[in-house]
Amino acid sequence: MNLLPDFRFHRPETLEAAVQIKAATPDARFVAGGTDLLVNLRRGLGEPSDLIDLTAVADLAAIRRDGDALWLGAGVTLADLARHPDVVAGYPAVAEAALAVAGPTHRAAATLGGNLCQDTRCVFYNQSDWWRDGNGWCLKYKGDKCHVVVKSDRCYATYHGDVAPTLMVLDAEAVVAGPDRVRRVKIADLYRESGAEHLTLAAGEMLAAVVLPPPGGRRAAYAKARVRDSVDFPLAGVAVSLKRDGDVIADLRIAITGTNSAPLLIDTADLIGRSWDDSAAGDLALALRRKANVLRTTITGAKYRRRVMQAMARQLVGTLWDKG
Ligand SMILES: Cc1cc2nc3c(=O)[nH]c(=O)nc-3n(C[C@H](O)[C@H](O)[C@H](O)COP(=O)(O)OP(=O)(O)OC[C@H]3O[C@@H](n4cnc5c(N)ncnc54)[C@H](O)[C@@H]3O)c2cc1C
């Protein structure tokens, strides 16, 4: 590990001040729990001129009712998110996804905003400086070649966040604050399929909150495959929300993580109005295969990750279907 690079440190107490500093200092980075950013900086992945610590912004740490929706501040820790009574009672899949992140000591510091905005990962990127130097760097940082897809002009580093897919299948929105306005976007629209620039936040913008609409009779669940159950990123993760109407699927949403440069929603339109049976499960497997682009970005093989993702999706839909 390297020493941290020199930087100026800011600790604003309001959202407005945080955004103003960011807008005036394009090279600055936000830091919340630091469990993703600081590890990367110690590996030489970035040399920001300024760090803007968000932990003193009280507004960011609130979970509160917002009409019939639930407002989750971006600075809420994953530990607090997972044990909040309104989350546990109304959105247990969100608590489940938060509890699937890393280990307990990470979750005590790690925030919802940091989880959603965490960097993409790749076996050619999350390495020490000397390792990457010896391998000619890579397209994501300092280099001009993607080692995963060699002839590509874009980076294929993968998004491995656990919480985004569950928020996506629950139709949550992100509240994005910029120097001039606050806007709302679907969680899926926070991302683009580019390993080096996977967030759609503009230069001066930050994530202020996530708003969960009422569950509306949907049941949801999240599952992930990982090397070490105690603390590890998803090799593949799947979130499902299902609404069953008698013998047919009234609504089905599926989102995946750990496979592409962004968490992605799967097209399930063909499954609506059908019963959950082997034929539907086969069509779901096809839809997943069409969307997931699992590549050699982790030390675990792509074929295994693709197949485990399909198996988890099938199992989750089956479990939610059986619950009625
Ligand atoms: C050993 C280990 C295991 C891990 N396992 C997992 C895992 O299983 N699943 C998983 O999802 N993650 C995992 N992580 C990554 C990380 O711990 C989590 O994603 C965590 O939730 C990040 O939150 P944070 O507050 O610490 O983010 P930080 O490190 O503070 O920030 C992460 C990024 O988000 C940006 N950011 C933070 N807050 C905001 C905001 N409000 N608006 C805009 N940008 C913002 C920062 O600038 C930075 O680029 C792991 C990390 C380690 C070291």
Side-chain angles (χ1 to χ4, degrees), residues 29-30 32-37 102 111 115 118 162 207 224 232:
R29 301 283 300 271
F30 293 117
T35 62
D36 185 52
L37 182 71
T111 63
N115 191 269
Q118 70 180 270
D162 276 307
L207 181 66
K224 70 190 274 192
D232 232 326

Side-chain angles (χ1 to χ4, degrees), residues 29-39 54 60 74-75 78 100-103 106 109-119 121 159-163 199 201 205-208 224 226 228 231-234:
R29 301 283 300 271
F30 293 117
V31 58
T35 62
D36 185 52
L37 182 71
L38 296 183
V39 179
L54 297 175
L60 288 179
L78 297 177
V101 174
H106 290 90
T111 63
L112 174 62
N115 191 269
L116 295 176
C117 298
Q118 70 180 270
D119 201 2
R121 304 180 63 79
Y159 181 80
H160 289 270
D162 276 307
V163 183
L199 294 174
L201 295 176
E205 287 183 329
M206 65 177 285
L207 181 66
K224 70 190 274 192
R226 52 186 153 180
R228 297 161 297 183
V231 47
D232 232 326
F233 289 91

